[in-house]
């Protein structure tokens, strides 16, 4: 299976998440790529959209390779073998990525706190997961806030990542698991980068809609 674009993947996820329609679910996108997907899903399910801020921790020799992830509270998930990485590097990388998260929070939602997931059905969305570290950190960050039900929803995952996230949530929806996983983009015909401004516009639009209803 290849997806035309993220919107196509989001529409397919909507079909698999239909049981949560009209329950006012909170749909959280992992920035940046999954945020437009989260909006599509939230609109279809008549829920709310927001972001869950996490960042991968990069391998010192292969920056694109994740050795773990960190959330905006500083909680860290590390792959089992990451104990081989020098502690000095890990601490530096944690501080670097935490600073990015703090900057993103200021840019994305400068005038409000994150939407509270407590006692709500929460769907955490990502376009694809390779190691599962970022999604694991996102799910754990939300779990700590006491949702009624925690759902992980992804378009594409490696087998290891798919097995990992099953253990972190109450239900999972994964459109495709591929043993030939090299990069998320290989499964999309159009994998145009999502910018910070794109994320900001999604969140502003949702806030305006809520204000109008209120």
């Amino acid at each position: 299976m290849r997806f035309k674009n993220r919107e196509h993947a989001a529409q397919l996820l909507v079909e698999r998440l239909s049981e949560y329609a009209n329950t006012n679910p909170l749909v959280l996108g992992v920035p940046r790529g999954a945020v437009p997907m989260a909006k599509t899903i939230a609109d279809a399910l008549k829920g709310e959209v927001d972001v869950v801020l996490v960042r991968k921790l990069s391998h010192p020799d292969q920056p694109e390779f994740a050795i773990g992830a960190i959330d905006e509270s500083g909680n860290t998930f590390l792959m089992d073998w990451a104990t081989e990485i020098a502690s000095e590097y890990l601490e530096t990388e944690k501080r670097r990525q935490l600073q990015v998260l703090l900057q993103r929070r200021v840019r994305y939602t400068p005038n409000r706190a994150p939407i509270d997931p407590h006692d709500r059905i929460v769907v955490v969305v990502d376009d694809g997961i390779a190691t599962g570290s970022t999604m694991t950190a996102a799910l754990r960050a939300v779990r700590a806030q006491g949702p009624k039900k925690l759902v992980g929803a992804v378009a594409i995952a490696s087998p290891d990542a798919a097995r990992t996230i099953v253990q972190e949530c109450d239900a999972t929806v994964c459109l495709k698991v591929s043993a030939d996983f090299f990069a998320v983009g290989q499964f999309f015909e159009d994998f145009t980068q999502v910018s910070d401004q794109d994320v900001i516009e999604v969140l502003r639009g949702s806030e305006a809609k809520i204000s109008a209803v209120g």
Side-chain angles (χ1 to χ4, degrees):
M1 174 187 289
R2 292 193 81 213
F3 308 105
K4 295 176 183 177
N5 48 35
R6 290 185 180 88
E7 177 66 18
H8 176 214
Q11 293 292 348
L12 294 175
L13 285 171
V14 166
E15 296 174 11
R16 300 277 296 275
L17 294 165
S18 60
E19 65 184 282
Y20 306 115
N22 300 308
T23 63
N24 192 30
L26 175 58
V27 185
L28 302 177
V30 178
R32 293 185 297 252
V35 177
M37 293 175 62
K39 180 184 184 304
T40 294
I41 294 168
D43 287 349
L45 300 182
K46 301 189 185 308
E48 292 182 280
V49 65
D50 205 351
V51 291
V52 52
L53 295 185
V54 289
R55 287 279 291 180
K56 75 176 181 182
L57 300 171
S58 296
H59 191 283
D61 300 321
Q62 302 178 63
E64 293 304 312
F65 189 62
I67 58 175
I70 189 169
D71 68 22
E72 61 183 315
S73 296
N75 298 311
T76 304
F77 167 78
L78 293 174
M79 306 299 288
D80 292 340
W81 49 265
T83 53
E84 303 171 3
I85 307 296
S87 59
E88 294 84 357
Y89 171 81
L90 280 174
E91 291 306 313
T92 298
E93 177 66 358
K94 289 177 186 178
R95 288 193 297 271
R96 186 171 74 90
Q97 299 301 347
L98 186 56
Q99 185 61 34
V100 173
L101 291 175
L102 294 174
Q103 292 170 350
R104 281 189 170 179
R105 177 57 69 188
V106 171
R107 286 199 299 269
Y108 291 170
T109 57
N111 301 314
R112 65 168 176 85
I115 299 175
D116 187 1
H118 180 71
D119 203 31
R120 295 186 64 172
I121 294 172
V122 180
V123 181
V124 178
V125 182
D126 207 351
D127 48 16
I129 50 176
T131 65
S133 59
T134 302
M135 189 63 159
T136 296
L139 291 167
R140 290 184 179 182
V142 177
R143 175 73 78 188
Q145 299 177 74
K148 178 190 295 185
K149 184 173 185 178
L150 182 57
V151 182
V154 298
I156 175 68
S158 68
D160 286 346
R163 285 190 291 269
T164 296
I165 66 167
V166 165
Q167 304 172 41
E168 300 293 338
C169 46
D170 302 313
T172 59
V173 174
C174 182
L175 298 176
K176 180 178 176 62
V177 177
S178 176
D180 298 321
F181 192 112
F182 299 103
V184 177
Q186 80 186 82
F187 299 96
F188 290 79
E189 294 174 15
D190 176 5
F191 199 61
T192 303
Q193 184 176 6
V194 175
S195 68
D196 278 338
Q197 190 58 40
D198 293 329
V199 173
I200 291 167
E201 289 175 4
V202 166
L203 297 176
R204 282 180 180 167
S206 298
E207 291 166 5
K209 183 185 298 184
I210 293 170
S211 297
V213 172

